[in-house]
Amino acid sequence: MTDAPRLPASFPLNRMTSSFAELSATVRDTGLMRRAYGFYSVFGAALALALGGVITGIVLLGDSWFQLLMAAALGIVLTQVAFLGHEASHRTVLASGPANDRLGRLLSTVVVGISHQWWMTKHTRHHGNPNRVGKDPDIERDTISFIEDDAARARGPLRWLTRHQGWLFFPLLTLEGLNLHYRSIASLITGGTRRQRWIELPSIALHFGLYLVPIFLYLPLGMAFAFVGVQMAVFGVYMGASFAPNHKGMAIVGRDERLDFLSKQVLTSRNIRGGWVMSILMGGLNFQIEHHLFPSMARPHLGRAREIVREHCATLGIPYTETTLLESYGIVIAYLNRVGLAARDPFDCPERVAMGR
């Protein structure tokens, strides 16, 4: 169906299910499922200070185009807050599920301006069936096509975009911030329950009120628009560049293929090397394999879990994929370009298309 890596021959499901139970027991016995209150307290305080510093910088700079640096900084801080909201949505940060849900909703809606319920629904489907055709919303057809069947259906200007989508992927991410806001609000209006709309829409409106009203009152009109544009672009690129390396270009699971939980999560995920620096930069998403195997594991424990999971996969002969960040981007671009070839005009010469002419 695509040029993504093929799945290896199926492992015995019963054996692999039993093996994951052993792995899970080992991880728990090692104490890696315990909470990390100290880390999240310090990290949360650091984010609050960073946000306060950005606001202070905006006030002190006044009518200056250096405000665009503050806009970029705000985009980075809000992405880091979104990472923390993502962890809360997995019930990682606090002791109880309801407390994590409240924290995740506060961070997502009021601070970042994205629907918590929309994100939870979408992300839960992704975790249950990563890279599975027809199940994973992250590979559904959109502006970008992730499987050849979708690319082949592209028509009009979208066909040209799809043919070059690998090279256009990162430029398109500058619009991803706007897309995330739009889709989350639209999902609440069209598909949310009455309670969800009453809770989240006012919270998102509060976010934009606290953000946009002061910016447009305090800055000249042109500078205010430029500020919002830079912030949205940085937010979209940072979010997309952090989530894209995790699964794009990894094995695609067919609609009817059967895989046990361990194989499904490991074969469709990719880790990013870089240790603690990368863990802070990517919000723990660099340990994507461990995150998918143990979604409620606190970020500080993912590195130790990686050692255990790698050894376990080596024993079972399950491929464990890990690259540098730049290598992962190269893989993503090449994969999207290969998929995009399915959108070529039937009268095009394949060799000419492959060479980008």
Side-chain angles (χ1 to χ4, degrees):
M1 181 176 294
T2 74
D3 287 312
R6 292 182 177 275
L7 292 171
S10 296
F11 300 103
L13 296 182
N14 290 339
R15 175 195 168 211
M16 296 303 290
T17 301
S18 174
S19 181
F20 176 71
E22 296 172 6
L23 172 64
S24 181
T26 300
V27 167
R28 290 184 181 279
D29 291 345
T30 311
L32 297 179
M33 297 306 297
R34 68 183 184 276
R35 302 294 179 181
Y37 299 119
F39 169 80
Y40 287 114
S41 296
V42 172
F43 186 67
L47 285 181
L49 287 174
L51 183 58
V54 170
I55 295 172
T56 301
I58 293 171
V59 173
L60 293 178
L61 281 173
D63 185 357
S64 167
W65 285 103
F66 283 107
Q67 290 284 8
L68 299 187
L69 296 177
M70 292 295 100
L74 181 59
I76 292 171
V77 172
L78 291 182
T79 304
Q80 286 287 334
V81 174
F83 290 156
L84 184 59
H86 165 249
E87 291 176 279
S89 73
H90 283 290
R91 302 187 170 182
T92 297
V93 180
L94 301 175
S96 72
N100 275 297
D101 289 341
R102 287 191 293 270
L103 175 62
R105 182 171 289 107
L106 173 67
L107 294 176
S108 297
T109 59
V110 177
V111 183
V112 181
I114 291 175
S115 167
H116 175 71
Q117 188 61 42
W118 168 75
W119 174 260
M120 284 284 289
T121 301
K122 177 178 180 290
H123 201 59
T124 299
R125 289 175 58 204
H126 161 70
H127 265 264
N129 290 282
N131 278 12
R132 180 181 286 276
V133 178
K135 295 289 187 179
D136 184 357
D138 287 357
I139 61 169
E140 289 178 353
R141 186 185 181 196
D142 200 346
T143 305
I144 298 292
S145 295
F146 298 104
I147 58 177
E148 287 183 357
D149 288 352
D150 289 340
R153 289 198 290 270
R155 295 292 182 270
L158 186 59
R159 170 179 283 172
W160 180 89
L161 186 150
T162 303
R163 281 174 47 184
H164 303 87
Q165 63 180 6
W167 302 119
L168 295 173
F169 179 66
F170 284 98
L172 285 171
L173 287 181
T174 58
L175 302 175
E176 180 61 14
L178 290 172
N179 183 55
L180 289 171
H181 291 301
Y182 165 75
R183 287 190 176 276
S184 62
I185 294 171
S187 72
L188 285 171
I189 294 173
T190 61
T193 66
R194 183 177 180 180
R195 181 174 183 274
Q196 290 164 359
R197 287 194 292 269
W198 274 103
I199 292 176
E200 296 201 359
L201 285 175
S203 298
I204 294 173
L206 176 61
H207 161 82
F208 284 109
L210 291 173
Y211 170 34
L212 295 179
V213 171
I215 290 295
F216 278 89
L217 287 178
Y218 186 65
L219 299 179
L221 186 61
M223 189 180 296
F225 274 111
F227 185 101
V228 174
V230 170
Q231 183 270 307
M232 288 289 182
V234 171
F235 176 65
V237 171
Y238 193 0
M239 285 283 284
S242 299
F243 281 90
N246 304 328
H247 301 282
K248 305 300 182 282
M250 295 301 294
I252 297 292
V253 183
R255 295 177 187 272
D256 301 320
E257 288 186 84
R258 291 184 63 209
L259 281 177
D260 62 279
F261 179 78
L262 177 61
S263 301
K264 174 173 62 177
Q265 302 297 347
V266 174
L267 295 174
T268 60
S269 303
R270 177 192 297 113
N271 275 13
I272 304 299
R273 300 189 191 102
W276 266 102
V277 173
M278 196 60 66
S279 186
I280 295 298
L281 181 66
M282 296 185 66
L285 296 172
N286 53 311
F287 296 114
Q288 189 67 193
I289 294 173
E290 290 69 33
H291 171 60
H292 264 254
L293 291 174
F294 307 101
S296 60
M297 180 179 289
R299 194 190 309 182
H301 306 320
L302 292 169
R304 172 61 181 133
R306 167 186 170 273
E307 300 173 9
I308 297 173
V309 173
R310 283 192 67 176
E311 182 178 348
H312 191 75
C313 289
T315 300
L316 295 172
I318 302 177
Y320 183 102
T321 303
E322 189 172 58
T323 69
T324 67
L325 185 62
L326 291 180
E327 286 173 341
S328 74
Y329 290 153
I331 293 169
V332 171
I333 291 171
Y335 168 68
L336 291 178
N337 278 332
R338 289 197 302 270
V339 171
L341 290 178
R344 64 177 179 264
D345 190 287
F347 297 104
D348 274 340
C349 169
E351 287 79 8
R352 180 173 66 84
V353 172
M355 294 176 67
R357 299 198 301 237

